[in-house]
Every structure is written in structure tokens, then in C-alpha cells.
Amino acid sequence: DAKTTQPNSMESNEEEPVHLPCNHSTISGTDYIHWYRQLPSQGPEYVIHGLTSNVNNRMASLAIAEDRKSSTLILHRATLRDAAVYYCILSPPPQYSGTYKYIFGTGTRLKVLA
Amino acid sequence: NAGVTQTPKFRVLKTGQSMTLLCAQDMNHEYMYWYRQDPGMGLRLIHYSVGEGTTAKGEVPDGYNVSRLKKQNFLLGLESAAPSQTSVYFCASRNARGAGNQPQHFGDGTRLSIL
């Protein structure tokens, strides 16, 4: 299974944009890229996902490299509530199981400074 | 909107005891998952189910059993708890429609300590 590599931690000032990188150099052509975040004492929360094209939603933007070997989650204006662990996850298509499984890495702990 | 509900939220067991963790979802999702998360690590898949009456092994299934007798419920059992099973357990569900673009919805976890 393809793996993801993320920095262990990052810091950002409040109200400034944050770019969270993820490397997935062994990604397959049909693997979706999902981003989740996990606040303290909570379960992971869906942020955004994409396959090949850049994506925007109300929470964030996802920029996917042309060769798909890396992606970047962009938070346009970080707030204190965005402090969390952010996971970049690959979701390969099912081969034998009939379901898409997530492969979690260790994530990036984002600290937002007031 | 309840979403995915896990019970209990906390539990302390002694080595060798058994228990069952319950996951309930009200979104009519076909797929359900059980993960464990150890300190400083990402989530690892224990077992999953693609529909009522079906279960399959994930990445770390040893020491656990599961059952999916009803579509909305997914139970995780520990027959003989071991200290190595001290962890936070998360349940998730997702819609079967579509491809890999369907997100998983997670509960808030069960914190289990085994002494």
C-alpha cells in the first residue's frame, strides 16, 4: 500500500494562511487523497478530498501536484479552532474487500499562535 | 443529528476480562469500521464490515472479534483483554455509493485501559 509522509508539526499565526504538505510518491492512479483533522479527545473530522484536480470547499483548499506525488492542504485564514492533528490519507480502490480502506500516517500537529 | 455514537466512552478492565464496545450509526451507511489509535500514532484498522452480516479483518485484527447483526450497529469484542490492547478505539461508517470519494464519519472514541 502507498504511504504518506507529513511533517510532524507546524506553527502558524492566527489569521494567516497555512500550507500543510504531504508526500505520497508511491500513489497509484486510482488512489483518492483525503484530508482529515483530529481535535483533542475527538474522532477524525473530514476536511476535503480529491483525485487529480485542485478542490475547494468551505473549510479548505486542496492542491494536488500534476504528477500526484504530493499534495497541500491550504487553510486560508487559520484560527485557534484549527489547532489539530491533520492527516493526509490515501484511499486505494478495493481489490478483494469491496470497500475503500484508509491508510493513516502519523499526521501533522498544527499549532496556531494568537 | 447523532451520526456515529460509541459506548462506553471510557472503561477500565483487568487483564483477562472481556467486554464489548458498541458502535451505532443513524445514517443508513453500509460500511462500518473499527480502528485503534495508540499515543502519537495514526489510526490502524482492526476490522470492518461492508454490510449486515459480513465482517472482514483489517490491519491489526488479533485479539478482537466483531459482529454486524444489524445494519446500524457494529460491535467490537475483546474476549480476554491484554495490556497491549490499551488504546483509544474509533468507529466509523460511510456510504457504499460512489467510489473512493465518500468520506468516513467517525465517532468520538472509547478510551480503554487494561491493567
Side-chain angles (χ1 to χ4, degrees):
Chain A
D1 291 331
K3 296 188 185 296
T4 61
T5 304
Q6 300 175 253
N8 288 332
S9 62
M10 292 183 65
E11 284 188 359
S12 173
N13 292 320
E14 199 175 9
E15 303 292 318
E16 291 186 355
V18 183
H19 291 234
L20 297 165
C22 180
N23 287 322
H24 30 77
S25 58
T26 59
I27 190 172
S28 297
T30 49
D31 292 355
Y32 277 83
I33 302 162
H34 290 250
W35 282 82
Y36 279 70
R37 70 181 186 182
Q38 187 174 22
L39 279 67
S41 300
Q42 293 188 22
E45 174 189 26
Y46 170 78
V47 177
I48 200 166
H49 75 272
L51 184 59
T52 57
S53 303
N54 294 344
V55 184
N56 299 296
N57 66 22
R58 63 175 181 82
M59 290 183 71
S61 295
L62 176 60
I64 302 174
E66 194 169 338
D67 63 6
R68 296 204 340 120
K69 293 186 176 181
S70 65
S71 61
T72 301
L73 178 70
I74 302 165
L75 306 179
H76 297 287
R77 291 181 64 191
T79 69
L80 296 178
R81 289 176 296 178
D82 291 323
V85 178
Y86 286 79
Y87 292 101
C88 168
I89 300 164
L90 299 184
S91 184
Q95 293 182 344
Y96 308 106
S97 63
T99 184
Y100 283 81
K101 294 187 286 186
Y102 282 168
I103 303 168
F104 279 83
T106 54
T108 296
R109 182 173 298 278
L110 175 65
K111 185 175 181 179
V112 180
L113 306 175
Chain B
N1 292 333
V4 177
T5 303
Q6 294 184 230
T7 52
K9 297 189 185 309
F10 304 93
R11 187 72 184 268
V12 178
L13 289 179
K14 294 181 179 179
T15 298
Q17 287 185 319
S18 64
M19 80 161 295
T20 300
L21 281 65
L22 171 63
C23 176
Q25 53 95 3
D26 62 1
M27 296 170 283
N28 202 35
H29 286 168
E30 289 79 8
Y31 298 161
M32 296 187 74
Y33 308 82
W34 274 109
Y35 295 88
R36 62 176 287 173
Q37 184 175 34
D38 299 314
M41 298 181 65
L43 280 67
R44 292 183 292 169
L45 183 63
I46 305 172
H47 286 279
Y48 62 95
S49 168
V50 299
E52 183 177 322
T54 70
T55 62
K57 294 180 180 180
E59 183 185 0
V60 288
D62 294 343
Y64 305 95
N65 57 75
V66 288
S67 63
R68 183 99 180 268
L69 300 179
K70 294 183 179 180
K71 185 177 183 179
Q72 64 267 33
N73 295 336
F74 195 27
L75 279 63
L76 178 70
L78 286 74
E79 290 188 349
S80 180
S84 61
Q85 294 177 304
T86 293
S87 189
V88 182
Y89 292 85
F90 289 99
C91 176
S93 70
R94 63 154 274 186
N95 197 310
R97 290 194 300 273
N101 56 349
Q102 292 292 323
Q104 292 187 17
H105 300 261
F106 287 82
D108 282 336
T110 294
R111 285 150 184 80
L112 183 60
S113 293
I114 305 187
L115 306 177

